[in-house]
Amino acid sequence: MFMFAEVERKLRMMRKVFESMEISEDLRGYSWDKPPVEPINDVRLSISDINGFCPTRRDAFVKYVLREKPRMNQHMVRGLAYHKVIRDTLVALKKAVYSGTTSGEELVELFFSSNEIPEKISKNLGVDLKECLKLYRFLVLQISARVDEVLSKYPDSDDENIVGLALPPFVEKRVDGSLVGLSKHLSVDVFTPHAVLDFKSGYSKEEHMLGLAGYALAIEADEEIDVNYGFLIYIRVDKNVHFRHVGFVVGDELRREFIEVRDEIAELVDSGIDPGKPNQCPKFCSYYGVCNEGCD
Ligand code: SF4
């Protein structure tokens, strides 16, 4: 089942859970003008700072105090490539529908006749073309099938209806997170009413949920709407394309945890004090070369 159909199914199930759960108003993003949501200082963080894996949080010190640039490792580049394939393919599919290509078969024909999107991304980022191509074709097939499903259910659909029902409403939605202590230029992978989705290409870890809680609070503050659910979609491409969905309610506990981490990092950056290194640094840390000069 395609990822968005699966997300919709899980959302329906989670709404049942949510009926018995309440999210405190003072932990919503639109309570940005009072503690605990109100930022503790002028430091504004990115979601990757919240997701960071440095045990001492020296990554934030290196980034904001020493002003060093992270070095992209192979996992990060692959993640970026997957994000770009998803974004560019979905945007191109929407454009094609609006330009009159309104059947699944036509979409497959059109998109399979050109590999421009995956080829360009693979070339620009230096990642394996086969992986980009597989993901691209997978998306085209899944969306095309969904378009046909919509047409068979609602034969009178026009292009606007098809796009609305077969494709996610916002891909890489821009959000100003500054009211809740985050960057002014956040980009949310996918936003559907009341839910945020984030694509991940590596292994799963708890902090990813905190990152999504950050996005939820940022949207609540920026747009004054409730965001109750989060979905992490882990992508793996081998012989096939795999999507693993982790859905959850962005409840009070997660919101508090996000605020705690946000405040801890903001305080560290504001103090300018080096927190020191952990006993061992993972080689794939994007600041490995900075913190371990000569060990590259
Ligand atoms: S290299 Fe080590 S100390 Fe530096 S940010 Fe990475 S994990 Fe932290």
Side-chain angles (χ1 to χ4, degrees), residues 4 7-8 11 168-170 173 190-197 227 231:
F4 299 116
V7 165
E8 279 163 20
L11 256 178
F170 295 104
K173 179 183 170 61
V190 174
F191 176 67
T192 69
H194 307 298
V196 275
L197 278 73
V227 181
F231 283 91

Side-chain angles (χ1 to χ4, degrees), residues 54-56 58-59 276-278 281-282 285 287-288 291-292:
C54 177
T56 61
R58 191 168 201 263
D59 49 354
K277 296 195 295 179
C281 293
C285 176
Y287 293 109
Y288 191 89
C291 301
N292 300 276

Side-chain angles (χ1 to χ4, degrees), residues 58-202:
R58 191 168 201 263
D59 49 354
F61 169 79
V62 171
K63 180 176 171 186
Y64 294 103
V65 182
L66 302 185
R67 299 196 169 274
E68 292 281 353
K69 295 254 178 289
R71 186 181 296 171
M72 297 276 273
N73 61 40
Q74 182 191 334
H75 303 287
M76 291 160 85
V77 176
R78 181 185 288 133
L80 184 63
Y82 289 178
H83 273 84
K84 278 197 80 52
V85 171
I86 293 171
R87 183 196 180 276
D88 292 1
T89 308
L90 293 180
V91 168
L93 281 161
K94 273 189 192 181
K95 276 192 192 152
V97 173
Y98 281 130
S99 308
T101 313
T102 49
S103 83
E105 194 184 346
E106 283 174 339
L107 284 172
V108 172
E109 257 176 45
L110 180 68
F111 280 77
F112 274 39
S113 67
S114 160
N115 294 328
E116 197 188 327
I117 291 175
E119 277 172 359
K120 198 168 155 199
I121 293 167
S122 154
K123 192 168 163 232
N124 288 348
L125 295 173
V127 289
D128 184 11
L129 173 61
K130 267 194 251 158
E131 283 184 34
C132 294
L133 194 58
K134 261 187 204 158
L135 184 55
Y136 166 78
R137 292 193 162 187
F138 178 87
L139 290 165
V140 170
L141 285 173
Q142 298 292 327
I143 293 288
S144 302
R146 190 118 161 99
V147 166
D148 282 346
E149 211 180 293
V150 169
L151 286 171
S152 103
K153 202 167 171 187
Y154 308 105
D156 297 332
S157 300
D158 60 13
D159 50 6
E160 188 68 31
N161 303 135
I162 296 171
V163 166
L165 291 165
L167 285 133
F170 295 104
V171 183
E172 290 204 353
K173 179 183 170 61
R174 301 287 159 182
V175 181
D176 178 353
S178 57
L179 290 174
V180 295
L182 296 171
S183 159
K184 244 180 170 341
H185 308 286
L186 297 180
S187 170
V188 179
D189 281 350
V190 174
F191 176 67
T192 69
H194 307 298
V196 275
L197 278 73
D198 200 15
F199 296 112
K200 298 283 173 202
S201 57

